[in-house]
Amino acid sequence: MRNLKLYFLLCLVTLSGLDLFAQDIKVASPNGELQVHILIEEGKIFYNVYFDGMQMLQKSPIGIKGKDVDLSSNLRLISKIESKIDERYTESKIKKSDVHYQANELKCKFTNPAKNQIEVIFRLSNNNIAFRYHIPQTGDASNLTIENELTGFNFPESTTTFLTPQAPAMTGFAKSKPSYEEEYVPDAPMSKASKYGLGYTFPSLFHIGTKGWVLLSETGVNATYCASKLSEVSRGGNYKLAFPEPAENNGIGDAHPTLALPGSTPWRTITLGRDLKPIVETTIPFDVVEQQYQPFKGLRFGRSTWSWLLWQDGSINFEDQKKFIDLSAKMGYEFVLIDNWWDARIGREKIAELATYAKKKNVGLSLWYNSNGLWNDAPQTPKNMMNTSSKRKNEMAWMKSVGIKGIKVDFFGGDKQETIKLYEDILSDANLYGLTVIFHGATLPRGWERMYPNFAGSEAVIASENLIFSQQADDTEAFSATLHPFIRNTVAAMDFGPVLLNKKHNKGNDGGNIRRTGETFQIATSVIFQTPIQNFGITPNNLVDMPEHIIKFMKEVPTTWDETILIDGYPGKFCILARRNGEKWFIAGINAEKEEKNIKVKLPMLKSNNVMVYADQTGQTSQVNKSSLGNDREFEFKIISGGGVVLVGE
């Protein structure tokens, strides 16, 4: 009789579709190479990640603790649903314009003794994992403040890291940090503490010895949650998801996010590969998010000149801005960016006059703004325009009336939910007035290129302005440039401001810090660094003091791409990257190592045997030649130390 009762119980479980006795629930990618095993152990949830038969993440925790609600322990599985996702979308602003996203999804719903529920959702595509929590409303409470997210990433002992530290709140220039502008430490042991003891910012790259590589980040962050970071590593290799510091944004807003119920957290993303190719080529930040509003008709992206980078504050005057409008027109560029102080040093009437002058030359103006004066001490104006709804809309209405095409908003200094809401408010309002948006001194974008149609990019990196501020930045430029394609630029558009052709970094090209890299290196960064609006560092004198082929290349290089392929490279050493716009391929290589590199590459993507080859020579002089591929589609070239090579073909 006892055995008969047990038989009937097992039959009921099977009929209900639930294996309540299972301790290990599995989901795999479409090709089967990537697997997640969800383990339920004494009421707590963990996950393990396997790739190509090897364990990449080991017994990592899952769960949330909310105010008076514990969704991390004493949990019981009540349902699991598996499904397939097969979607296609187009997005011109990312590294690949047409994307076919295929994934297997697993939704596991758990309950606690108080009957509160949490749903853990995993999506596995080939080489990528995205997972998040969904919290249903199970009682009268219609919101939940998240006090602790247990989400962890537990790496094997042999792992080394490529991480950048979280900066202390209210530090840096005019108390504007954190702004994602700290140095990376390559190939560091996991035991190494971060510079400030506050963990690390996303994206985060890990090298698991001979097993391969893992990139961590998050996406889908909007006003319903805060942005997150990684904690310091605990004993055993676990990095925990961490919320912003309470002091961020001058203490304004809660460091803990509050979800309206039912509600979902952002997606946490894990990209894996035996080599770095899947890391560089991933589209997972955009695959799992949705557009938040319809784009303003006629939004424009492209190339821009920018006087402030090399000519600095002194160039914010009417005549110098006309010179840069003329420069953009001669280059065939779409924009000019006018930086800080324009309201005081040029004035609104003259800005309107410049916009009219630029329009006649088919050039659009973009204007700089301070995010506000409440959470930073930055004196640059205009300020107190972007932080409140009525002033912001009035300002944007004025911009639309005089023909301004974009804005660049600076000095945010935080990742709290309150601040993420400000980002979203600026973007959504700007779209109504036909303005593209760049954020500077800002957080990492998290899926925003697809979510917000008028979003163009964010700095969130030690960008080109530091080449003006510090000779040390120039001395290490090649090293830094070979990190970004593998880390920062893998997940989001990066407003770096590349291509400084002046040998000396000042207005006259006769003083200041000295460029250590070659001219071809500089133009190569226009391909290697990706963002749909590129604020290039070229200046009017470059039209006469640079080789003709350098200027010709800069007139032709696009800023939007249909395809991206990593050919070879290693973070901090070298990078060879191919991008396609239409039928034309641009293959760019840069070398940060002390010795020149002899490279042999296969280029099966090229239909024609003929290529234009731009290359830095000894002494960092650039040359261009026509050349041909071999019968096996191979091409051999050398890259000098601090130099670059660019191949252009179809």
Side-chain angles (χ1 to χ4, degrees):
M1 179 65 71
R2 184 182 301 165
N3 289 339
L4 187 60
K5 287 182 178 179
L6 180 60
Y7 171 77
F8 280 121
L9 179 59
L10 288 170
C11 287
L12 285 171
V13 170
T14 302
L15 287 171
S16 68
L18 302 176
D19 184 0
L20 298 181
F21 300 106
Q23 292 294 299
D24 193 358
I25 306 165
K26 300 177 184 178
V27 59
S29 60
N31 66 4
E33 289 186 1
L34 178 58
Q35 291 189 349
V36 168
H37 295 204
I38 300 174
L39 177 67
I40 308 162
E41 192 173 87
E42 298 181 349
K44 296 182 179 181
I45 315 169
F46 302 89
Y47 72 101
N48 294 273
V49 175
Y50 297 87
F51 179 71
D52 199 16
M54 295 176 289
Q55 189 170 25
M56 305 295 274
L57 291 179
Q58 52 199 18
K59 199 177 180 183
S60 301
I62 290 176
I64 280 178
K65 287 186 178 179
K67 189 175 182 181
D68 302 321
V69 176
D70 186 355
L71 293 168
S72 67
S73 61
N74 297 314
L75 296 174
R76 179 173 59 88
L77 178 70
I78 57 174
S79 71
K80 63 173 183 176
I81 301 172
E82 297 181 45
S83 60
K84 295 183 182 297
I85 295 170
D86 193 330
E87 298 176 349
R88 294 180 184 271
Y89 66 91
T90 60
E91 178 51 71
S92 63
K93 295 183 293 173
I94 62 175
K95 64 188 79 169
K96 184 178 182 180
S97 60
D98 293 300
V99 181
H100 186 192
Y101 177 57
Q102 295 177 295
N104 292 330
E105 182 177 82
L106 172 66
K107 294 181 179 180
C108 294
K109 186 179 286 188
F110 301 87
T111 189
N112 65 11
K115 298 185 179 179
N116 306 120
Q117 294 180 359
I118 184 172
E119 193 170 51
V120 183
I121 305 167
F122 274 91
R123 287 187 182 180
L124 273 67
S125 54
N126 297 339
N127 298 99
N128 295 284
I129 299 168
F131 69 98
R132 69 176 177 181
Y133 306 106
H134 178 76
I135 315 297
Q137 184 175 357
T138 53
D140 293 335
S142 61
N143 58 75
L144 178 66
T145 298
I146 312 298
E147 295 184 337
N148 186 14
E149 190 171 324
L150 277 69
T151 304
F153 308 90
N154 194 358
F155 285 92
E157 193 174 321
S158 60
T159 303
T160 56
T161 68
F162 296 74
L163 304 176
T164 184
Q166 175 79 7
M170 304 298 288
T171 61
F173 172 74
K175 300 179 181 177
S176 60
K177 287 190 176 185
S179 54
Y180 290 67
E181 297 178 68
E182 308 303 314
E183 299 87 357
Y184 285 90
V185 180
D187 284 309
M190 283 198 299
S191 59
K192 184 176 176 63
S194 74
K195 183 176 180 179
Y196 306 109
L198 298 172
Y200 305 91
T201 61
F202 287 126
S204 307
L205 182 64
F206 299 83
H207 191 194
I208 311 179
T210 58
K211 292 183 178 181
W213 297 81
V214 175
L215 181 78
L216 301 182
S217 195
E218 64 177 356
T219 191
V221 177
N222 61 15
T224 64
Y225 215 77
C226 65
S228 302
K229 59 179 180 176
L230 288 183
S231 70
E232 297 289 314
V233 65
S234 64
R235 184 174 298 176
N238 186 58
Y239 293 84
K240 180 181 170 297
L241 199 82
F243 292 146
E245 299 299 311
E248 289 181 19
N249 285 91
N250 206 15
I252 300 164
D254 198 334
H256 298 98
T258 297
L259 270 179
L261 300 181
S264 299
T265 68
W267 293 95
R268 320 306 177 192
T269 62
I270 309 170
T271 302
L272 306 96
R274 291 300 305 273
D275 55 32
L276 287 158
K277 186 176 174 66
I279 305 289
V280 174
E281 298 175 15
T282 185
T283 57
I284 194 62
F286 318 106
D287 296 339
V288 294
V289 301
E290 297 177 351
Q291 190 177 93
Q292 303 294 291
Y293 48 74
Q294 288 299 309
F296 181 91
K297 189 176 181 180
L299 286 173
R300 196 179 184 194
F301 302 89
R303 290 103 18 115
S304 177
T305 61
W306 176 31
S307 73
W308 181 87
L309 181 59
L310 277 160
W311 289 17
Q312 294 286 288
D313 288 348
S315 69
I316 309 303
N317 62 73
F318 185 83
E319 292 303 324
D320 278 350
Q321 293 311 308
K322 282 187 71 175
K323 292 175 185 176
F324 274 81
I325 292 170
D326 292 341
L327 175 61
S328 281
K330 289 175 182 176
M331 296 296 294
Y333 288 2
E334 291 78 10
F335 301 103
V336 165
L337 170 61
I338 303 180
D339 218 284
N340 56 192
W341 302 115
W342 59 263
D343 58 330
R345 300 184 181 188
I346 298 175
R348 293 174 183 272
E349 289 187 9
K350 286 292 188 179
I351 285 290
E353 189 177 329
L354 284 171
T356 300
Y357 179 78
K359 184 178 180 180
K360 292 176 181 177
K361 294 176 174 283
N362 199 30
V363 175
L365 294 191
S366 299
L367 299 179
W368 183 98
Y369 284 84
N370 195 331
S371 65
N372 85 331
L374 187 60
W375 46 73
N376 66 67
D377 291 338
Q380 289 91 336
T381 62
K383 61 181 182 178
N384 294 318
M385 294 289 182
M386 290 292 122
N387 55 308
T388 57
S389 179
S390 57
K391 284 187 177 181
R392 182 170 57 242
K393 288 176 179 175
N394 286 337
E395 187 74 2
M396 290 177 175
W398 167 77
M399 283 188 270
K400 184 178 180 182
S401 72
V402 300
I404 303 303
K405 299 302 181 183
I407 57 174
K408 172 183 172 182
V409 189
D410 208 340
F411 303 131
F412 285 85
D415 280 330
K416 293 178 179 177
Q417 187 171 3
E418 177 102 359
T419 319
I420 300 300
K421 181 180 183 300
L422 177 62
Y423 284 113
E424 185 172 72
D425 288 347
I426 291 171
L427 283 160
S428 59
D429 284 350
N431 183 70
L432 296 175
Y433 296 95
L435 299 168
T436 59
V437 180
I438 292 171
F439 293 122
H440 207 67
T443 192
L444 175 78
R446 292 158 162 91
W448 293 358
E449 290 91 322
R450 190 178 181 198
M451 293 167 67
Y452 306 113
N454 57 324
F455 173 73
S458 287
E459 184 186 25
V461 71
I462 301 178
S464 60
E465 62 196 49
N466 290 277
L467 300 170
I468 314 302
F469 301 154
S470 161
Q471 183 61 52
Q472 192 267 346
D474 285 275
D475 295 343
T476 57
E477 181 186 10
F479 164 76
S480 299
T482 55
L483 290 172
H484 303 324
F486 302 103
I487 313 173
R488 164 64 180 87
N489 217 179
T490 60
V491 298
M494 182 178 73
D495 182 43
F496 185 89
V499 192
L500 283 75
L501 296 176
N502 278 10
K503 183 65 176 176
K504 296 185 177 179
H505 291 329
N506 70 349
K507 181 175 181 179
N509 199 11
D510 57 4
N513 298 327
I514 300 171
R515 170 166 56 83
R516 304 297 191 190
T517 56
E519 293 158 4
T520 311
F521 178 102
Q522 289 297 317
I523 67 171
T525 61
S526 70
V527 176
I528 287 176
F529 299 160
Q530 182 264 323
T531 191
I533 293 180
Q534 287 274 29
N535 291 301
F536 291 130
I538 63 175
T539 53
N541 58 285
N542 297 149
L543 295 180
V544 294
D545 61 21
M546 279 291 110
E548 183 180 349
H549 68 268
I550 293 289
I551 299 303
K552 184 176 184 295
F553 178 90
M554 289 306 301
K555 287 180 177 180
E556 296 175 353
V557 68
T559 64
T560 55
W561 305 101
D562 296 305
E563 193 173 354
T564 295
I565 297 174
L566 176 66
I567 295 176
D568 201 357
Y570 191 92
K573 295 182 179 180
F574 74 106
C575 177
I576 303 170
L577 190 66
R579 298 194 196 270
R580 178 177 62 84
N581 176 278
E583 297 297 319
K584 186 175 288 188
W585 282 94
F586 295 76
I587 299 106
I590 54 175
N591 178 21
E593 296 192 276
K594 292 182 179 179
E595 304 297 327
E596 71 176 34
K597 297 189 75 67
N598 293 301
I599 305 287
K600 182 183 288 187
V601 295
K602 285 196 174 184
L603 303 172
M605 73 286 287
L606 295 182
K607 298 175 183 177
S608 171
N609 281 335
N610 300 318
V611 291
M612 295 296 294
V613 182
Y614 302 77
D616 284 322
Q617 307 299 313
T618 303
Q620 294 183 339
T621 59
S622 178
Q623 293 183 3
V624 62
N625 296 289
K626 289 184 179 179
S627 192
S628 298
L629 304 180
N631 293 331
D632 53 3
R633 317 302 293 167
E634 283 191 341
F635 192 77
E636 192 169 355
F637 55 90
K638 71 174 183 179
I639 314 179
I640 66 169
S641 177
V645 168
V646 179
L647 312 179
V648 181
E650 295 185 0

